[in-house]
Amino acid sequence: MRYLFEDYALDVDRRELRRRGDAVRLEPQAFDLLEHLIRNRERLVSRDDLIAAIWSGRIISDSAMTTRINAARNAVGDTGKAKRLIKTVPRKGIRFVGTVREEPGRSPKSDDVTLQPWTSYLSLPDKPSIAVLALTNMTGDASQDYFSDGITEDIITELSRFSELLVIARNSSFQYRGKSIDVRRVGRELGVRYVLEGSIRRAGDRVRISAQLVDAVTGAHRWAERYDRKLEDVFAVQDEVTRTIVSVLAVHVNKAETERVLATVPANWQAYEHYLRAADTLVSYHSSLNKADLLEGRRGLNRVLSIDPDWARAHAALARTYVSLWAHRWDDDCPWSEALDRAHQSARDAVRLAPNLPAGHVALGFALIWMRQHEAAIAEFEHAAVLNPNLTDFVFGWTLVVTGEPARAIQILEAHMRLDPFYMPFALWWLGAAYYMLGSYADAVTSLQAAVSRAPNLALGHHWLAATYAQLGRLDEARAETAEGLRIQPWFTISQMPFTKACKRPEDGARLRDGLCKAGYPE
């Protein structure tokens, strides 16, 4: 079903909103809200009705509700004082009042994937492109998912080292895990020519990996192979899979790389097992922002390093957990004031042990930016990008905002979103911060609303959105976001805002302080 109104088209089957043919970014809950209002446009929709339809009856704050409604309004340009499409009746409800024409669409199949990237279908790049889907765990034991996920991630990492390939980031390719998928649809959603899918079965001291490469445009199978090895040989299997895939793609590449630097792997299998478990837990943390997940992931990394103290990847991951501890002011693991020093030391250890490991340089850059070593931080990120041309990490975008380069930050973050169409909400938050620093507050609101919607427990998202609303003169909405931010971080004051402590240009800190002050935050 497609709903047509003014110059907009809301395609329910494709979960797309378009204006004059161009895709309009709209995060999932705001899309669902807009669809529900249009579908029920003949009546007034109450708050309870929206909660039941959009949030399955879960309790949400008034601020969260307002954020989703505003996101829907912004998407359809309904931002003036006299609302022309979405009308609110105080203490009664809300209604879509625009003229709508319905157009039948295709009926989705029962096994269709419901996930949709935050952008519309992506065009193919001008070089070979691939998405590696999560290998299916064939053991029948869900507790072993971390193992198949970890092996998949390592294959993605190795493929990313080839500058001639565009490789979709783990976060986006893993969105299809456990789903019955149409490879051609995956190709359209992620904007890739090839999709690698397969399975992994672990039994005793042996592991079997099956993989097949599919042309996502035609659906044709280009290559398939099965590897049956002893568990201690799994690193050789990963390398063999990667080399075989690249050889298949090589006919499309003008100049193939003849050498690549492999990430250091631990000498001990038990260390690698602990690392996979810790990495899986930290992925959960970046979605939940749950302190328990962060601390459990760190304990796993410490177990890795107790077995193999020279494994650089574990040091790099540990450094980023300390930055998270510092940003949230959690001190369960070490004194809060020492967290940045520990992050810096762990990142330095990673770079010392594996100078060609991109993750080590990213971790070091992330620590340095908060230590106000701006030029050194940028140098680390740029070096990481040289080592891995397919590097996609949203913290580089944030670093550029902090160092006073918001326009370049927008370019980096948009490139990250292309390589990771199901990007983490942090990318939206930092994209909004970049627009804020450019004074493009309307653009900032769109990104920050989406960030807050996807990560409602991220206090910094509410802080930035409150400041942005205040700069636009939308003070009621600003104070609502301020209240939500202070609910999550009761200790927060303007003087404790991490950005104002770390930013390179005094005028940038003053711009943010001004917005926070107008929004009603305590000094």
Side-chain angles (χ1 to χ4, degrees):
M1 175 65 70
R2 297 176 73 220
Y3 295 106
L4 308 179
F5 56 97
E6 295 188 347
D7 50 1
Y8 292 90
L10 187 78
D11 190 321
V12 176
D13 298 326
R14 291 182 177 274
R15 291 186 64 79
E16 289 181 342
L17 175 66
R18 289 185 173 273
R19 182 173 185 263
R20 298 174 183 169
D22 294 328
V24 178
R25 181 182 295 168
L26 188 61
E27 59 88 23
Q29 284 184 342
F31 183 98
D32 293 340
L33 186 146
L34 182 59
E35 178 194 349
H36 187 75
L37 291 177
I38 294 175
R39 193 186 297 274
N40 295 277
R41 59 190 179 277
E42 300 303 323
R43 65 180 178 88
L44 198 65
V45 177
S46 68
R47 184 181 188 277
D48 290 341
D49 187 0
L50 285 175
I51 291 174
I54 312 302
W55 289 274
S56 301
R58 297 192 304 273
I59 297 174
I60 65 164
S61 67
D62 289 340
S63 173
M65 173 77 75
T66 300
T67 296
R68 304 323 184 272
I69 293 171
N70 287 336
R73 280 181 167 141
N74 286 332
V76 296
D78 195 21
T79 56
K81 289 185 178 180
K83 300 295 187 289
R84 72 186 194 287
L85 293 175
I86 302 175
K87 294 281 190 181
T88 298
V89 179
R91 295 180 295 279
K92 296 292 184 180
I94 189 170
R95 184 183 169 197
F96 190 92
V97 297
T99 301
V100 178
R101 180 166 59 89
E102 296 184 6
E103 183 178 275
R106 67 176 180 87
S107 298
K109 297 179 181 179
S110 60
D111 61 351
D112 270 356
V113 176
T114 58
L115 293 167
Q116 178 73 13
W118 308 115
T119 57
S120 60
Y121 288 159
L122 298 168
S123 59
L124 291 174
D126 57 0
K127 62 180 179 178
S129 50
I130 185 170
V132 182
L133 303 187
L135 295 174
T136 302
N137 171 21
M138 299 296 289
T139 65
D141 180 1
S143 67
Q144 293 294 308
D145 283 348
Y146 77 91
F147 182 79
S148 54
D149 289 355
I151 297 297
T152 308
E153 183 171 4
D154 281 350
I155 292 174
I156 293 172
T157 298
E158 293 307 312
L159 280 174
S160 295
R161 297 178 186 281
F162 291 84
S163 61
E164 286 84 0
L165 301 180
L166 183 146
V167 183
I168 292 297
R170 172 204 191 279
N171 179 61
S172 284
S173 59
F174 271 49
Q175 296 290 334
Y176 302 91
R177 181 174 59 182
K179 305 290 184 180
S180 176
I181 56 99
D182 178 345
V183 170
R184 284 171 290 192
R185 180 175 178 182
V186 172
R188 291 194 301 270
E189 291 183 347
L190 298 182
V192 293
R193 179 71 188 234
Y194 301 100
V195 172
L196 181 74
E197 57 181 354
S199 63
I200 186 166
R201 184 186 300 275
R202 177 181 176 184
D205 64 347
R206 301 195 69 82
V207 60
R208 172 177 291 177
I209 299 177
S210 298
Q212 59 182 356
L213 188 67
V214 182
D215 187 317
V217 175
T218 66
H221 287 66
R222 303 299 299 269
W223 164 82
E225 190 57 84
R226 187 176 73 184
Y227 303 87
D228 195 349
R229 300 287 192 276
K230 288 185 177 181
L231 200 56
E232 62 263 27
D233 296 333
V234 69
F235 305 122
V237 176
Q238 292 168 237
D239 189 47
E240 187 176 349
V241 170
T242 303
R243 289 181 182 277
T244 304
I245 295 168
V246 173
S247 68
V248 172
L249 297 177
V251 296
H252 301 282
V253 179
N254 293 326
K255 179 183 178 182
E257 287 183 348
T258 57
E259 296 182 359
R260 62 189 174 99
V261 180
L262 296 176
T264 304
V265 297
N268 188 293
W269 171 254
Q270 284 73 31
Y272 186 58
E273 176 119 354
H274 285 308
Y275 176 81
L276 294 183
R277 291 183 184 273
D280 186 64
T281 302
L282 291 173
V283 168
S284 297
Y285 162 71
H286 284 115
S287 297
S288 68
L289 296 178
N290 187 316
K291 178 170 63 175
D293 288 335
L294 178 68
L295 298 180
E296 177 57 31
R298 178 178 296 145
R299 284 191 290 269
L301 293 173
N302 283 326
R303 284 192 288 269
V304 173
L305 295 172
S306 68
I307 298 170
D308 185 353
D310 293 332
W311 195 24
R313 289 172 66 188
H315 283 289
L318 187 63
R320 294 185 67 156
T321 69
Y322 277 116
V323 173
S324 293
L325 182 152
W326 179 83
H328 291 286
R329 296 182 67 92
W330 292 332
D331 58 3
D332 301 63
D333 190 65
C334 75
W336 173 78
S337 59
E338 296 179 12
L340 273 184
D341 289 337
R342 293 199 184 185
H344 185 226
Q345 185 57 56
S346 293
R348 285 170 57 88
D349 288 340
V351 171
R352 173 179 57 81
L353 292 165
N356 292 326
L357 177 66
H361 293 278
V362 168
L364 182 54
F366 201 22
L368 288 172
I369 194 61
W370 295 118
M371 300 172 73
R372 296 188 56 79
Q373 297 185 37
H374 303 108
E375 287 74 16
I378 293 293
E380 293 298 329
F381 282 105
E382 291 179 338
H383 187 55
V386 170
L387 292 171
N388 181 359
N390 278 301
L391 176 71
T392 175
D393 201 310
F394 44 77
V395 297
F396 187 21
W398 174 239
T399 298
L400 291 168
V401 178
V402 175
T403 55
E405 298 184 65
R408 186 184 175 197
I410 291 170
Q411 294 177 345
I412 292 294
L413 289 166
E414 289 180 342
H416 164 74
M417 292 174 179
R418 176 61 183 90
L419 286 175
D420 189 355
F422 290 97
Y423 44 83
M424 297 285 187
F426 299 101
L428 286 166
W429 163 38
W430 289 334
L431 183 63
Y435 279 120
Y436 182 98
M437 286 303 149
L438 288 173
S440 300
Y441 299 121
D443 291 322
V445 162
T446 300
S447 293
L448 291 169
Q449 284 177 334
V452 166
S453 175
R454 291 182 60 192
N457 293 326
L458 180 64
L460 288 171
H462 293 284
H463 301 335
W464 280 87
L465 183 55
T468 307
Y469 278 142
Q471 297 291 19
L472 288 169
R474 296 161 61 174
L475 296 182
D476 289 343
E477 292 162 293
R479 293 188 180 104
E481 292 299 327
T482 298
E484 187 66 11
L486 292 176
R487 182 190 65 78
I488 299 169
Q489 290 184 335
W491 49 265
F492 180 83
T493 64
I494 295 175
S495 64
Q496 292 172 315
M497 186 70 167
F499 177 87
T500 60
K501 292 175 175 291
C503 64
K504 181 178 180 180
R505 301 190 305 183
E507 60 267 31
D508 289 343
R511 181 189 292 269
L512 180 56
R513 281 193 296 271
D514 179 60
L516 292 171
C517 183
K518 291 176 180 176
Y521 278 97
E523 291 285 348

